[in-house]
C-alpha cells in the first residue's frame, strides 16, 4: 500500500505540526491522500469515510411495559372501589401539574427548561495561549516568538527595521541566504525599491521592512503558514503602518489563500488584519527583469489607491 498512495501532503502536515510543538494544535487542516497512477492523472481519495449503509429495519415488536402506569380517564372516577376487584382509576385534578420528562432505566427523569429533554452540558474547549499573544511591546513580542517551537532552533530572527508607525511597511517572504536584514536598503533590491517609491513621493524615511518568516528562506508547511499569519497580525498591532506592501506571488497566496488569482489582484486594494494592503511582484525577480519593472509601474501600481498623489 505504501507504493500505491502519495503521502507527501500528509508528511508536510505532520512535519508542520512537529515544528509547531505542543502549544499549537490544528486539527482541521485539510490534506488529500492521492493514489499513484502510472499513466494517468492522480485520483484523489477523500479523507472521510463514506456514509454507512443504513441497516435493514427489523420488524417492530410491540413493547410491553413491566409496570404499566395507571390510566387516568377524563371523566370523574367513582368514590368507592369496584366490587369486581379491578384497578381503580383515579382522576388528576385540573390544578395538578405533573412532571414531564423521559424516565431512564434507573428511574431518573431528565427535565429540560421547557419540560422536555435536558440539553447536554457544553464541552469545554481548552486552547493554549501563546506568550506572544499577550506581549505588551514589540521587543517583548520578538522575545516571545523566539521561544516558540517554530523559531527555537533558529540562531536569530529578523526584526522590524524602520520608523515608528511607518507610512508604508514592506513585507518580504523571508531572509535570503547570505543577506543581512539590517542592511536591506543598501542591497540592490532595497536601492531599487527606494528609487521606485521615491518616484511615488515616498521617501525612505517613511518606509519600514519586516519579514513573514523571520529566518532564512525555506519551504513552509501549511500549518506553519497559519501560525505565521497569527504572529504577523500581532506584530502589525505594534508597528501600526498606514499601509502594507506585500511582495511576491507565493506570499500573496499565504496571506489571502490559494483560491485568489494574483495576476488579477496584483496592485489592487486588499486588507489584512485591518491594514490596507497592496501586493506587488517579487522584487528579487524584478531587479533584473525590465519587463516586470514595466508591469509593476504601468499596470500594478496604477490599480491601487494607496499611491495616489
Amino acid at each position: 500500500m505504501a507504493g500505491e498512495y502519495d503521502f507527501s501532503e500528509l508528511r508536510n502536515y505532520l512535519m508542520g505540526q512537529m515544528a509547531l510543538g505542543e502549544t499549537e494544535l490544528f486539527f482541521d487542516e485539510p490534506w488529500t491522500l492521492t493514489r499513484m497512477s502510472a499513466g494517468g492523472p492522480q485520483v484523489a481519495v477523500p479523507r472521510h469515510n463514506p456514509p454507512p449503509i443504513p441497516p435493514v429495519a427489523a420488524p417492530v415488536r410491540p413493547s410491553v411495559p413491566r409496570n404499566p402506569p395507571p390510566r387516568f380517564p377524563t371523566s370523574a372516577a367513582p368514590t368507592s372501589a369496584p366490587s369486581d376487584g379491578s384497578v381503580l382509576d383515579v382522576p388528576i385534578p385540573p390544578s395538578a401539574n405533573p412532571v414531564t420528562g423521559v424516565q431512564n432505566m434507573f428511574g431518573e427523569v431528565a427535565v429540560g427548561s421547557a419540560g422536555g429533554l435536558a440539553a447536554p452540558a457544553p464541552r469545554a474547549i481548552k486552547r493554549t495561549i501563546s506568550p506572544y499573544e499577550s506581549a505588551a511591546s514589540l521587543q517583548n513580542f520578538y522575545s516571545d516568538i523566539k521561544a516558540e517551537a517554530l523559531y527555537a532552533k533558529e540562531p536569530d530572527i529578523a526584526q522590524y527595521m524602520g520608523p515608528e508607525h511607518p507610512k508604508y511597511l514592506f513585507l518580504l517572504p523571508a531572509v535570503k541566504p547570505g543577506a543581512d536584514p539590517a542592511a536591506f536598503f543598501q542591497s540592490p533590491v532595497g536601492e531599487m525599491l527606494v528609487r521606485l517609491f521615491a518616484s511615488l513621493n515616498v521617501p525612505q524615511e517613511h518606509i519600514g521592512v519586516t519579514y513573514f518568516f523571520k529566518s532564512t528562506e525555506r519551504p513552509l508547511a501549511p500549518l506553519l503558514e497559519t501560525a505565521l499569519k497569527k504572529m504577523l497580525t500581532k506584530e502589525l498591532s505594534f508597528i501600526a503602518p498606514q499601509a502594507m506592501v506585500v511582495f511576491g506571488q507565493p506570499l500573496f497566496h499565504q496571506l489571502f489563500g490559494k483560491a485568489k488569482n494574483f495576476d488579477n489582484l496584483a496592485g489592487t486594494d486588499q486588507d489584512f488584519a485591518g491594514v490596507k494592503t497592496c501586493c506587488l511582484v517579487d522584487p528579487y525577480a524584478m531587479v533584473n527583469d525590465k519587463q516586470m519593472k514595466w508591469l509593476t509601474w504601468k499596470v500594478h501600481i496604477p490599480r491601487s489607491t494607496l499611491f495616489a498623489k
Side-chain angles (χ1 to χ4, degrees), residues 254-270:
Q254 289 172 336
L255 295 184
F256 300 102
K258 296 182 179 180
K260 293 192 175 183
N261 189 293
F262 175 79
D263 295 331
N264 295 337
L265 297 178
T268 60
D269 294 344
Q270 303 292 319

Side-chain angles (χ1 to χ4, degrees), residues 8 39 44 76 88 94 104 109 112 117 143 153 162 167 177 187 198 209 219 228 230 250 255 257 273 275 306:
S8 58
L88 177 64
N104 60 18
V109 178
L117 291 176
S143 299
K153 297 181 180 179
K167 184 174 182 180
S187 65
V209 180
L228 291 173
K230 189 166 65 172
L255 295 184
V275 179
L306 303 180

Side-chain angles (χ1 to χ4, degrees), residues 113-298:
S113 59
L117 291 176
R123 296 180 58 186
I125 300 177
K126 296 182 179 181
R127 177 179 178 272
T128 304
I129 304 245
S130 299
Y132 73 84
E133 298 183 62
S134 304
S137 66
L138 188 59
Q139 290 303 319
N140 291 341
F141 166 77
Y142 289 130
S143 299
D144 291 338
I145 66 171
K146 184 64 177 68
E148 292 287 318
L150 178 60
Y151 290 114
K153 297 181 180 179
E154 301 292 338
D156 199 5
I157 60 174
Q159 302 184 14
Y160 167 73
M161 181 185 62
E164 185 178 2
H165 309 316
K167 184 174 182 180
Y168 290 98
L169 175 65
F170 289 175
L171 180 64
L172 299 171
V175 181
K176 292 292 182 180
D180 183 7
F184 173 77
F185 287 118
Q186 287 71 45
S187 65
V189 172
E191 292 176 351
M192 179 201 67
L193 291 179
V194 168
R195 293 193 300 268
L196 174 64
F197 278 80
S199 302
L200 300 171
N201 297 323
V202 180
Q204 178 181 339
E205 292 77 16
H206 294 169
I207 301 174
V209 180
T210 192
Y211 296 86
F212 183 63
F213 180 58
K214 305 182 185 307
S215 187
T216 306
E217 188 177 43
R218 64 178 174 86
L220 299 175
L223 285 178
L224 302 185
E225 295 174 2
T226 303
L228 291 173
K229 285 175 62 176
K230 189 166 65 172
M231 292 181 184
L232 176 61
T233 300
K234 184 65 176 181
E235 184 181 18
L236 290 176
S237 67
F238 293 117
I239 300 176
Q242 296 183 20
M244 180 170 65
V245 182
V246 175
F247 289 99
Q249 182 173 347
L251 183 54
F252 165 81
H253 290 307
Q254 289 172 336
L255 295 184
F256 300 102
K258 296 182 179 180
K260 293 192 175 183
N261 189 293
F262 175 79
D263 295 331
N264 295 337
L265 297 178
T268 60
D269 294 344
Q270 303 292 319
D271 180 274
F272 180 82
V275 179
K276 296 179 180 179
T277 304
C278 172
C279 301
L280 301 178
V281 299
D282 183 6
Y284 291 91
M286 188 197 313
V287 70
N288 295 320
D289 192 334
K290 293 183 179 180
Q291 183 66 23
M292 296 187 70
K293 291 180 181 178
W294 182 91
L295 181 66
T296 301
W297 182 256
K298 295 293 185 180

